[in-house]
Amino acid sequence: MCGIVGYIGKEQAASIILDGLSKLEYRGYDSAGMAIFDGEKLRTKKAIGRLKVLENITRGGETLPGCSGIGHTRWATHGAPSDKNAHPHTNAAGTIAVVHNGIIENYISLKKKMADKGYSFVSETDTEVLAHLLDYYYKGNPLETIIRVLQRVEGSYALGILFADHPGEIYAARKDSPLIVGQSALGCFIASDVPAILKYTRTVYYMDNQEIAVLRGENISFYSMDEEEVAKESATVDWDADAAEKAGYEHFMLKEMYEQPRTLEDTLSPRILDKDGEKDIVIEELNMTAEELRAVRKIHIVACGSAYHAGVTGKYVLEELARIPVEVDLASEFRYRNPLLEEGCMVIVISQSGETADTLAALRESKAKGFRVLGIVNVVGSSIAREADACLYTWAGPEIAVATTKAYSAQLAAVYLLAMKFARVRGILADRDFAALLADLKCLPDQIELLLGQKQKIQRFANRYLGARDIFFIGRGIDYAISLEGSLKLKEISYIHSEAYAAGEMKHGTISLIEDGTLVVAVSTQPALYQKMISNIVEVKARGAFVMAVTNEENREMQKVSDYCVYIPETHPCFTNSLAIIPLQLFAYYVAVGRGCDVDKPKNLAKSVTVE
Ligand code: M6R
């Protein structure tokens, strides 16, 4: 939700900021802007539309010379996308400029107070109130002023601030919205996410909540809200800069789908012990003894979107393999439903970004109630990773496309590992069964590779459905979990209406929507449920549906009842989601491409949802 980049150093700031923003466009892309100090004053340029528009009107930054500046790419919350609502926002004199990611929750009352003092507002944003508050309190000391303003503000923020009379400095602050600070021989940077500055540096500082940073060309100081200087350790980012580039693929989403075999390998192999006859799952990050693991009586999984879908799969797999009761909640529901967390329960939050506001709030709520929280997180150093009691990283690397693919697959891998670990310590799996599961787990990367090889076949099929009005996804048990994800993938990038249903539930209402030619994607990977699925397929076919089945190679009977079959290789029934998702991702991707949609940046969405 909004991307921030700031730079101060020896180089021209505007081109560095534009380049950084281009790596953050996945966070928001309805307008963009920059404020640059030109040696005398702050000059601001903003434009509605994609970053390209800003690049064009500033000729790639050339028309805004200067070596310090801040920039922003917006995902509208308060006020529609427009030039006026784009950031940076300034005070009336144009001497203070602010970029903001987050929400100022008490902005209405603050705005009224500032209006009563004679301040006039040019935008509908919550952010503009900050520029005027800074102006109101400013007596020449930026740090003191920022602290005073932030003490009056409720909500979340990552901020970049410039004061024209302090040209050698950039100020930054954060609370509940991500912000990192980078350092290199060229100068210092602020950014919402690592890819924005990876080209220039790998040395970063992860800002903590309610911390303020002052960047002065070559040195950086951090302060608490009490104006005390804080000592911070830098971290080194170990990604390859290419990881955040398209590398010849038409879209990030396609590239990221193709990275799934490696992602699984990276997430699984460091945690699998299979040597000298010894077989185990080793998750050191859990920081729990076998006894503590055995004492877990219930698991609550909390997440949003696709991460929630990985959690739904987790419920089936953990209950099946480890026989632990699991509840799965959408984080936005969990945090307000006063959940009953009984003794012996463990909370698992799943998040690619590690910054999703609702998931973070659920984590804090659980910790406040005294429960242990495990985070399954992709972004190293993110808020959830740092605030969870333990963090199991999914080693998917940077995921840029808004629609998640490889991070989701890595989340599935993480829940398999946990389920097997719990099953092992609880003595539920016999050695032989454990060994068989381990063998299947290790085969997943190659099997995914194989399925990716079917892309042309899926593309041809997808091209027949470019004009579809509704597409349904049905499945039972674990296949229902994958239907949820397949349906979300399709609707978020192709804008075709789609719903996922537990197959047995269709006839309780939704089947009335099936018409001649409606596409129903039926996922059937659970041998124990083949016959039940066949009945459900026959039911929708009787109402005119065209059925695409995703099923196991052995299930040849499916060919007789469905119109089009995609087969997945053999694996344990608990792991089939990792394979069945591949044709569904490819299908969604090619439908979206065929419809001319902006696959990597679907309308109205942002990669990291840092607002409620
Ligand atoms: O970063 P997170 O995993 O916490 O994000 C959760 C959802 O916002 C995310 O999975 C979203 O649903 C994706 N657009 C799905 O492709």
Side-chain angles (χ1 to χ4, degrees), residues 86-112:
H87 299 212
H89 292 283
T90 64
N91 59 343
T95 52
I96 301 173
V98 187
V99 288
H100 169 219
N101 170 29
I103 288 184
I104 306 302
E105 286 168 2
N106 57 339
Y107 85 102
I108 294 179
S109 65
L110 290 173
K111 192 168 174 176
K112 181 164 180 328

Side-chain angles (χ1 to χ4, degrees), residues 361-558:
L363 175 156
R364 289 178 180 162
E365 168 94 11
S366 309
K367 280 186 73 173
K369 288 189 165 161
F371 291 91
R372 196 187 164 80
V373 180
L374 168 71
I376 298 180
V377 178
N378 193 42
V379 176
V380 176
S382 56
S383 301
I384 294 178
R386 284 183 297 155
E387 291 190 31
D389 296 298
C391 178
L392 199 168
Y393 279 117
T394 50
W395 297 117
E399 191 178 63
I400 310 294
V402 166
T404 179
T405 52
K406 63 173 180 172
Y408 166 79
S409 282
Q411 288 163 353
L412 290 181
V415 297
Y416 302 159
L417 289 167
L418 278 177
M420 286 175 67
K421 183 71 198 170
F422 273 109
R424 192 73 171 152
V425 294
R426 290 160 76 92
I428 287 168
L429 285 174
D431 283 355
R432 211 189 41 208
D433 297 336
F434 186 78
L437 273 169
L438 216 53
D440 280 349
L441 204 56
K442 287 193 200 167
C443 288
L444 288 176
D446 286 344
Q447 293 174 320
I448 291 175
E449 191 92 62
L450 218 78
L451 284 161
L452 286 166
Q454 299 197 15
K455 72 171 187 163
Q456 274 164 350
K457 177 183 163 191
I458 306 279
Q459 182 174 17
R460 279 197 297 276
F461 181 73
N463 282 339
R464 289 158 58 182
Y465 283 90
L466 304 185
R469 196 187 58 187
D470 310 292
I471 297 181
F472 293 87
F473 289 73
I474 59 171
R476 285 171 173 261
I478 276 187
D479 294 332
Y480 169 54
I482 208 65
S483 301
L484 290 169
E485 178 58 10
S487 170
L488 177 66
K489 245 4 22 125
L490 179 79
K491 65 188 142 201
E492 73 180 322
I493 60 171
S494 76
Y495 318 137
I496 291 178
H497 167 253
S498 167
E499 285 185 51
Y501 262 84
E505 186 65 16
M506 281 293 279
K507 55 179 154 309
H508 296 285
T510 311
I511 203 163
S512 62
L513 296 174
I514 304 294
E515 292 172 355
D516 251 0
T518 305
L519 177 62
V520 175
V521 179
V523 187
S524 177
T525 69
Q526 303 299 299
L529 296 168
Y530 284 163
Q531 290 312 320
K532 300 285 167 207
M533 272 305 289
I534 286 180
S535 306
N536 297 137
I537 288 172
V538 172
E539 285 158 13
V540 291
K541 276 198 68 66
R543 273 90 190 161
F546 187 94
V547 174
M548 165 185 176
V550 178
T551 190
N552 301 336
E553 270 162 4
E554 59 172 29
N555 188 13
R556 293 287 158 173
E557 217 182 308
M558 196 53 98

Side-chain angles (χ1 to χ4, degrees), residues 5 13-19 21 32-36 42-47 51 54-55 58 60-64 69-72 86-88 97 99 162:
V5 181
S15 58
I16 291 180
I17 291 169
L18 284 170
D19 180 61
L21 290 177
M34 287 189 284
I36 306 289
L42 295 179
R43 290 177 58 203
T44 302
K45 272 270 176 271
K46 326 199 266 191
L51 187 64
L54 183 68
E55 273 171 7
T58 62
E62 264 178 37
T63 63
L64 286 178
I70 50 178
H72 188 269
H87 299 212
V99 288
L162 286 182

